[in-house]
Amino acid sequence: MKFDLIIVGGGLAGLAAAVALRKSRLSIAIVEPHLAAKQPYSEWDARIYAYSPASAKFLQELGVWQHLDRERLCAVAEMKVYGDEQGALRFSAYESGLQELAWIGESRLVHDELRESVKRQHNVTLFCPRIPVSARFEDASICLELDGGDILTGRLLVGADGRDSWVRDQSGLATRSVPYGEMGVVANFECEGDHRGIAYQWFRGDGVLAWLPLPGRMMSMVWSVKDDFAQSLLQMNEQELCSRVERAGGRLLGKLSLRGRPAAFPLRLMRVESVVRQRVALIGDAAHAIHPLSGHGINLGFQDAKALAELLEAAPEWRDIGDYSFLRRYARKRAEEPFMLQYATHGLNRLFAARNPAAAFFRNAGLNLTGRLPVLTNSLVRYAVSGKFS
């Protein structure tokens, strides 16, 4: 079976790239190992993302955002960041001339809509659940063998298959990985108090704690902590966990009630030596992994998908879309933002992990100084929502 483009990975980034090419002449195959049945929305998904305005605009252009259930999305009007020694920083959408800093919502909310869009797309063939078992790189094509014996050929292979990317390994693209020895513990809670659309983040001695507002009086927690503490949080009963999270956040939202089961995922910094090679391009978590304290992981993936799709759609018919010299344009366009965010979050994580008085003084003084400089604060906000300083 011959295609122009083969995407391995049916997550948010991979599906978004395919939908972004819905009007192109390219024939697309999507290979996804996991058949995810559409789940009822009676409970909240533990995988909650902060969608930036730039991502919301991209999804709007794809015809996805306008179809999402607004009762399951919450706009962030303000964000308050606290250091461990009286340092504090505040970001306001209103004061920065924005309608919102971000939208908080479930992963599956966007995934389900993207998947439905792909299923209706005339130029997409979905292989799911199917597993790629081998890849053969030739001068003019890539041959991908699937379990069951099917062989797909294409001009370009896109790895959108996550942090442990099979495509990246098969392509020989070198990575440098730094495990943090931490896990991100996530859980959803019903709150006694009204969050008023405010997101909170604390740099604590035991890790980085974030409370993200959800519709009504719901909030999503992401607590990045050492592995042993993460395990102890997961083993707590409901009452113990709620009490621990309440205390960690200074009881700002009153009593908490757990909604759904908590979950955890390991954290690491991952840099890929190059996100392209002949016949291969990486997007999303296959291309970069960052600490969740920035809240930007999924937004980087969407911007990867957008940049690659724009390059492919603009290519003339005679252009070999798998040629390395052509794909380098995508690599150059997506070099700066992931690099900056990776090392900014890595540096912050290491700075607040340092347990000495000098480090504590400088990191908290830095938060307070930034908060007193509106021009710098507004610039940081605008970078967070658009990926560009203005």
Side-chain angles (χ1 to χ4, degrees):
M1 290 175 275
K2 295 183 179 180
F3 299 91
D4 295 305
L5 179 65
I6 303 172
I7 300 174
V8 176
L12 294 179
L15 293 178
V19 177
L21 291 166
R22 65 198 181 282
K23 296 178 182 178
S24 76
R25 55 180 170 73
L26 300 175
S27 58
I28 304 168
I30 299 178
V31 180
E32 167 54 39
H34 307 291
L35 181 62
K38 195 170 181 178
Q39 298 296 321
Y41 285 92
S42 56
E43 271 300 340
W44 286 82
D45 190 347
R47 294 168 301 169
I48 302 291
Y49 290 138
Y51 300 98
S52 71
S55 291
K57 182 182 178 183
F58 175 49
L59 291 170
Q60 178 90 20
E61 293 167 355
L62 299 187
V64 168
W65 190 257
Q66 51 269 50
H67 293 143
L68 302 180
D69 184 353
R70 286 299 186 272
E71 293 185 359
R72 299 188 79 87
L73 287 168
C74 182
V76 179
E78 193 175 325
M79 182 171 184
K80 296 182 178 180
V81 182
Y82 300 98
D84 53 349
E85 294 283 350
Q86 306 303 313
L89 183 59
R90 173 178 166 271
F91 299 100
S92 165
Y94 175 78
E95 292 172 8
S96 300
L98 300 166
Q99 290 186 320
E100 65 279 322
L101 297 177
W103 290 89
I104 309 300
E106 297 153 289
S107 168
R108 67 175 176 178
L109 188 70
V110 176
H111 185 272
D112 287 350
E113 189 59 41
L114 282 170
R115 188 180 173 87
E116 289 304 310
S117 298
V118 159
K119 286 163 66 175
R120 297 189 298 265
Q121 205 164 313
H122 74 281
N123 63 339
V124 169
T125 303
L126 186 61
F127 296 86
C128 179
R130 301 298 296 276
I131 299 172
V133 295
S134 69
R136 187 172 73 252
F137 297 90
E138 300 178 349
D139 289 341
S141 66
I142 170 74
C143 294
L144 196 70
E145 182 180 357
L146 307 183
D147 60 329
D150 288 334
I151 295 178
L152 313 183
T153 64
R155 294 188 289 162
L156 174 62
L157 176 64
V158 175
D161 49 344
R163 293 186 305 168
D164 299 315
S165 170
W166 179 88
V167 170
R168 190 181 63 229
D169 290 344
Q170 291 291 307
S171 305
L173 290 168
T175 63
R176 185 168 64 86
S177 188
V178 179
Y180 286 113
E182 298 176 357
M183 301 188 78
V185 180
V186 295
N188 299 325
F189 297 88
E190 187 85 38
C191 310
E192 181 183 26
D194 187 354
H195 54 60
R196 304 189 309 281
I198 300 174
Y200 298 93
Q201 188 171 49
W202 293 269
F203 287 89
R204 297 166 44 86
D206 55 18
V208 183
L209 172 65
W211 287 3
L212 307 176
L214 287 171
R217 293 198 172 186
M218 291 272 296
M219 73 89 170
S220 173
M221 176 201 79
V222 184
W223 200 348
S224 305
V225 296
K226 295 295 183 183
D227 291 341
D228 54 352
F229 186 29
Q231 292 302 327
S232 70
L233 289 174
L234 293 174
Q235 291 166 11
M236 290 179 182
N237 62 40
E238 182 174 338
Q239 185 177 355
E240 289 173 332
L241 180 61
C242 289
S243 178
R244 190 64 179 261
V245 175
E246 287 168 17
R247 294 198 308 273
R251 296 187 169 84
L252 278 176
L253 299 179
K255 295 286 290 181
L256 301 179
S257 302
L258 187 64
R259 292 285 300 270
R261 295 172 60 88
F265 52 93
L267 305 180
R268 72 174 188 256
L269 171 73
M270 185 198 70
R271 285 281 298 169
V272 181
E273 197 170 90
S274 174
V275 297
V276 298
R277 59 153 283 184
Q278 183 78 2
R279 309 251 159 253
V280 177
L282 304 178
I283 63 175
D285 287 349
H288 37 67
I290 65 174
H291 198 283
L293 67 86
S294 74
H296 260 275
I298 191 56
N299 298 307
L300 288 178
F302 281 138
Q303 294 309 307
D304 291 344
K306 184 174 187 290
L308 183 61
E310 287 175 347
L311 179 68
L312 296 177
E313 192 164 27
E317 192 168 353
W318 54 264
R319 195 60 158 111
D320 181 357
I321 62 171
D323 184 66
Y324 176 66
S325 62
F326 174 73
L327 293 173
R328 283 185 63 191
R329 300 181 196 176
Y330 160 71
R332 286 195 296 268
K333 189 170 185 178
R334 294 302 298 152
E336 183 181 7
E337 186 188 5
F339 178 85
M340 289 178 63
L341 280 173
Q342 280 184 321
Y343 282 99
T345 54
H346 181 70
L348 279 172
N349 177 263
R350 287 295 185 248
L351 179 61
F352 277 89
R355 299 289 98 200
N356 65 74
F361 172 79
F362 283 112
R363 65 196 177 214
N364 289 281
L367 284 178
N368 289 327
L369 178 61
T370 302
R372 296 191 188 102
L373 299 172
V375 172
L376 179 55
T377 303
N378 290 342
S379 181
L380 289 171
V381 169
R382 292 188 177 278
Y383 174 76
V385 301
S386 68
K388 298 177 181 178
F389 283 109
S390 59

